[in-house]
Amino acid sequence: MTEPVPAPRIGDAERDQATEYLREHLAQGRLDQVEFDERMTAALSARTQPDIDRLFTDLPAPRPGQELAVPQAAKAPVAAADALPMSPKLVNAMGVLTAVIWPVTLLLLFAIGWGQYWWLIFVPIAVSSLWGHYQQQNDQHRKRLRREERRRLERGNDDPDAS
């Protein structure tokens, strides 16, 4: 009598694909947050393909083993979208404005006195805050793009149009 052959083990690529599909089902409203969390935990700890398949028995496509529909715009090369959309002139202008507004405001307040114009200090604070928020978002966007590019290259898919 022969023993049943155990299912082959899966790797990070299969677990990543399953979590990507679970996120899609959450976005489509097929899963609530609690069920998504449970299935995500199970997907990340799965060791064999049947462990993954069990998570999708009651869900429609996409499922592991099926291609996730990717919009054509998402298949564009990552380098083409290297930063958040903002014109270079506006980026330079915001950088200069942020660098100049602090000394100008402080000189103005010292020249005219803090008296009734103390609130002017909030102008450079607001400008600096907005610029810092933009820079942070831009950095996060670039990091995400680099991560996606690295994953794509690790999977051996260096042709962005291949699918």
Side-chain angles (χ1 to χ4, degrees), residues 7-8 10 39 42-43 45-56:
I10 60 170
R39 291 184 191 213
S45 62
R47 294 186 178 172
T48 63
Q49 190 61 44
D51 294 339
I52 294 288
D53 293 340
R54 228 174 273 126
L55 303 173
F56 293 89

Side-chain angles (χ1 to χ4, degrees), residues 142-157:
R142 287 182 186 193
K143 286 177 186 175
R144 183 176 51 79
L145 290 174
R146 278 191 231 115
R147 243 188 346 263
E148 289 173 3
E149 179 72 10
R150 207 172 333 161
R151 283 186 191 141
R152 190 175 60 80
L153 292 173
E154 285 173 358
R155 291 181 180 160
N157 182 10

Side-chain angles (χ1 to χ4, degrees), residues 69-111:
V70 179
Q72 191 62 31
K75 294 182 181 182
V78 175
D82 193 34
L84 291 175
M86 188 182 248
S87 76
K89 287 182 181 179
L90 184 57
V91 170
N92 291 338
M94 284 296 296
V96 169
L97 176 64
T98 304
V100 170
I101 197 164
W102 277 102
V104 167
T105 303
L106 292 174
L107 286 172
L108 180 66
L109 285 174
F110 283 119

Side-chain angles (χ1 to χ4, degrees), residues 15-95:
R15 284 186 282 273
D16 288 346
Q17 182 185 44
T19 59
E20 185 178 334
Y21 291 155
L22 287 172
R23 282 188 195 97
E24 179 64 24
H25 288 297
L26 175 68
Q28 295 297 324
R30 296 184 191 110
L31 297 174
D32 62 24
Q33 189 63 49
V34 173
E35 192 174 13
F36 170 76
D37 291 341
E38 291 170 356
R39 291 184 191 213
M40 184 67 78
T41 301
L44 292 172
S45 62
R47 294 186 178 172
T48 63
Q49 190 61 44
D51 294 339
I52 294 288
D53 293 340
R54 228 174 273 126
L55 303 173
F56 293 89
T57 56
D58 62 335
L59 295 171
R63 294 177 170 201
Q66 296 177 342
E67 182 67 27
L68 181 62
V70 179
Q72 191 62 31
K75 294 182 181 182
V78 175
D82 193 34
L84 291 175
M86 188 182 248
S87 76
K89 287 182 181 179
L90 184 57
V91 170
N92 291 338
M94 284 296 296

